[in-house]
Amino acid sequence: MNVIRILHSLVVVVVVMLTTSCGSTQTYPGERLPQARVARINVLTTHRHFLYNLNIIVKAVDGVNIGKADMTYEVLPGEHTLYVICQSWYHVLAAPVMASKQFTVVPGNFLTFRAEAGRRYTMNGEDIDEVFYIWLEDVETGSVVAGRKPEPSIEH
């Protein structure tokens, strides 16, 4: 009987953890609004390479510190400025190679865009020759709404 209670309690704890940790970060005050009334920003956080990983982290929205890194953020419709940083993580054996790398974030650490209710946006990044490009694009249209997507290279 006690084993069943313990298992039941464990299942409840696991379900609560899974359902609350897979949500999104609300960046506006008050009650959470329906998805049709907010814009959602999905951050493709990790960009893997042979020796290192580059991560995009949203640190603040409209000057307000987020407090935690997440993969999805909800904002109200209107103009917003995101403060983003790029962090690199690498294995200790790659330290001699990585110590000489100095990544530059393009277009900079601030992305300003106009969010529309019910729309979804994806923040992405790509590094080319130690320059890390960050951009935000509308999922539905594919258009870049903030930042700078690198031009495709033409190789002969």
Side-chain angles (χ1 to χ4, degrees):
M1 190 68 161
N2 284 339
V3 172
I4 293 174
R5 281 187 182 165
I6 292 171
L7 285 174
H8 180 265
S9 298
L10 184 61
V11 167
V12 168
V13 168
V14 168
V15 168
V16 167
M17 286 175 58
L18 289 174
T19 57
T20 57
S21 65
C22 294
S24 57
T25 297
Q26 176 182 328
T27 65
Y28 53 89
E31 297 281 322
R32 185 175 293 273
L33 298 172
Q35 288 187 15
R37 295 187 53 202
V38 297
R40 292 174 64 90
I41 303 165
N42 296 316
V43 181
L44 301 178
T45 56
T46 303
H47 303 273
R48 300 184 190 286
H49 298 276
F50 180 68
L51 293 175
Y52 61 95
N53 294 336
L54 289 172
N55 298 323
I56 300 172
I57 300 170
V58 176
K59 297 295 281 182
V61 176
D62 300 328
V64 177
N65 188 12
I66 294 294
K68 68 172 188 168
D70 206 342
M71 293 180 65
T72 305
Y73 300 90
E74 293 181 1
V75 296
L76 294 173
E79 188 171 285
H80 296 282
T81 299
L82 309 175
Y83 174 65
V84 296
I85 63 169
C86 173
Q87 288 184 333
S88 62
W89 301 91
Y90 49 88
H91 190 276
V92 68
L93 296 176
V97 174
M98 293 303 295
S100 65
K101 290 191 175 287
Q102 297 294 321
F103 288 97
T104 302
V105 178
V106 172
N109 296 90
F110 294 95
L111 299 177
T112 300
F113 77 109
R114 179 162 296 283
E116 295 182 37
R119 299 303 282 255
R120 291 181 306 127
Y121 303 92
T122 300
M123 183 176 299
N124 208 334
E126 184 177 336
D127 67 303
I128 300 171
D129 298 326
E130 297 183 18
V131 175
F132 194 70
Y133 295 87
I134 298 177
W135 69 95
L136 191 65
E137 66 183 50
D138 185 305
V139 170
E140 188 177 312
T141 65
S143 62
V144 174
V145 297
R148 185 169 145 210
K149 191 173 185 176
E151 299 293 326
S153 63
I154 300 172
E155 298 191 22
H156 300 295

